[in-house]
Amino acid sequence: MEVGHFAIKNWSDDDKPREKLMLKGKDALSDAELLAILIGSGSRNESAVALSQRILASTKNLTALGKMSISQLMQFKGIGEAKAVSIVSALELGRRQRIEDVLKVKKITSSKGVFDIMQPIIGELSHEEFWVLFLNNSNKVIYKSQLSKGGIAGTIVDIRLVFKLALENGATGLILCHNHPSGSLVPSSADKQITKKIKTAGEILDVKVLDHVIITESKYYSFVDEGIF
């Protein structure tokens, strides 16, 4: 005799994701259980928790799940457009919350501080972006801006725009940042050349280039830390 899946509605309250959250708090739930709440329901042959477990087993982690598009999520049997939209929206809210958290402490004291600010913004992108953090005399970030957006291989940076923004915002220092979608932390010759040009221009305009940080999903490379400056 074939036995179907045991529907969540038939579970004890301690095991139902929604009820478990209300009774024990959010920390008591696994990633799959939290995802199951977003999904809402499974199918005749699979509970929402089992579906969530299958998705997470395929994507390996929440970071990889957060990179998936609506169409990619819909490739999983049991995930329609509405459920895919819910997943994408929830993970995007989480990403934005991480950005808000790191921006509460805006004073830069190390290259790690730059990574903490920029990783949620560019660390997980599939294309390259070049950003600049503009700082005051106290090394507090007063403005940040995306200078260019390109493909996998690189971007083009307008040096004049860098210092136009610096002067407009009264910045006395700036930090260059860009991501490497490949995951490589090795600066290219183009990375070194643009850094040198911007640093030279900054010396003329009395705006100090404090560092250039390459960001990947989980690591970073600081020109200052590595002695390139």
Side-chain angles (χ1 to χ4, degrees), residues 109-115 210-214 220-229:
T109 58
S110 67
S111 55
K112 175 64 164 54
V114 179
F115 175 78
L210 301 171
D211 202 351
H212 186 167
V213 181
I214 298 172
Y220 66 94
Y221 179 100
S222 161
F223 279 43
V224 168
D225 294 350
E226 298 300 325
I228 293 182
F229 267 36

Side-chain angles (χ1 to χ4, degrees), residues 128 130 152-154 176-196 211-216 219-229:
E128 190 168 305
F130 194 102
I152 295 175
L176 312 174
C177 309
H178 78 280
N179 63 312
H180 277 181
S182 66
S184 169
L185 289 174
V186 179
S188 66
S189 58
D191 294 338
K192 295 177 181 178
Q193 288 171 9
I194 193 63
T195 303
K196 184 176 181 180
D211 202 351
H212 186 167
V213 181
I214 298 172
I215 308 286
T216 66
K219 298 179 182 179
Y220 66 94
Y221 179 100
S222 161
F223 279 43
V224 168
D225 294 350
E226 298 300 325
I228 293 182
F229 267 36

Side-chain angles (χ1 to χ4, degrees), residues 35-78:
L35 184 57
I37 292 175
L38 286 175
I39 290 173
S41 63
S43 65
R44 181 179 178 182
N45 298 313
E46 187 176 41
S47 71
V49 173
L51 172 56
S52 298
Q53 290 171 336
R54 179 160 58 87
I55 292 171
L56 290 173
S58 176
T59 57
K60 304 302 182 184
N61 54 53
L62 292 175
T63 298
L65 180 62
K67 292 180 180 180
M68 298 187 75
S69 65
I70 290 172
S71 60
Q72 288 174 321
L73 286 168
M74 290 173 64
Q75 297 302 309
F76 290 100
K77 184 178 180 181

Side-chain angles (χ1 to χ4, degrees), residues 17-213:
R18 289 191 183 89
E19 286 75 5
K20 186 175 180 180
L21 188 149
M22 290 187 288
L23 288 170
K24 299 183 178 180
K26 58 187 179 183
D27 293 338
L29 275 70
S30 67
D31 290 346
E33 288 171 325
L34 289 169
L35 184 57
I37 292 175
L38 286 175
I39 290 173
S41 63
S43 65
R44 181 179 178 182
N45 298 313
E46 187 176 41
S47 71
V49 173
L51 172 56
S52 298
Q53 290 171 336
R54 179 160 58 87
I55 292 171
L56 290 173
S58 176
T59 57
K60 304 302 182 184
N61 54 53
L62 292 175
T63 298
L65 180 62
K67 292 180 180 180
M68 298 187 75
S69 65
I70 290 172
S71 60
Q72 288 174 321
L73 286 168
M74 290 173 64
Q75 297 302 309
F76 290 100
K77 184 178 180 181
I79 297 295
E81 186 177 86
K83 291 178 181 178
V85 167
S86 294
I87 295 170
V88 169
S89 298
L91 291 173
E92 175 60 15
L93 278 174
R95 187 187 72 85
R96 293 184 186 186
Q97 187 253 329
R98 282 189 293 144
I99 294 173
E100 285 185 1
D101 285 346
V102 296
L103 288 179
K104 289 176 184 177
V105 183
K106 292 187 176 182
K107 186 172 181 178
I108 302 296
T109 58
S110 67
S111 55
K112 175 64 164 54
V114 179
F115 175 78
D116 288 341
I117 290 174
M118 295 305 301
Q119 192 282 333
I121 300 173
I122 62 175
E124 298 167 12
L125 298 178
S126 58
H127 61 273
E128 190 168 305
E129 292 187 1
F130 194 102
W131 286 66
V132 179
L133 300 179
F134 298 92
L135 286 68
N136 63 14
N137 280 322
S138 300
N139 280 353
K140 288 185 177 180
V141 178
I142 53 178
Y143 186 67
K144 69 181 187 302
S145 178
Q146 179 199 92
L147 267 292
S148 65
K149 178 179 178 179
I152 295 175
T155 62
I156 299 174
V157 180
D158 186 341
I159 297 176
R160 294 170 299 180
L161 180 58
V162 172
F163 291 99
K164 177 178 181 291
L165 291 172
L167 296 173
E168 287 177 351
N169 289 280
T172 58
L174 55 86
I175 297 175
L176 312 174
C177 309
H178 78 280
N179 63 312
H180 277 181
S182 66
S184 169
L185 289 174
V186 179
S188 66
S189 58
D191 294 338
K192 295 177 181 178
Q193 288 171 9
I194 193 63
T195 303
K196 184 176 181 180
K197 287 181 179 179
I198 296 175
K199 186 178 179 183
T200 300
E203 290 169 354
I204 296 171
L205 295 172
D206 200 25
V207 179
K208 189 173 183 181
V209 178
L210 301 171
D211 202 351
H212 186 167
V213 181

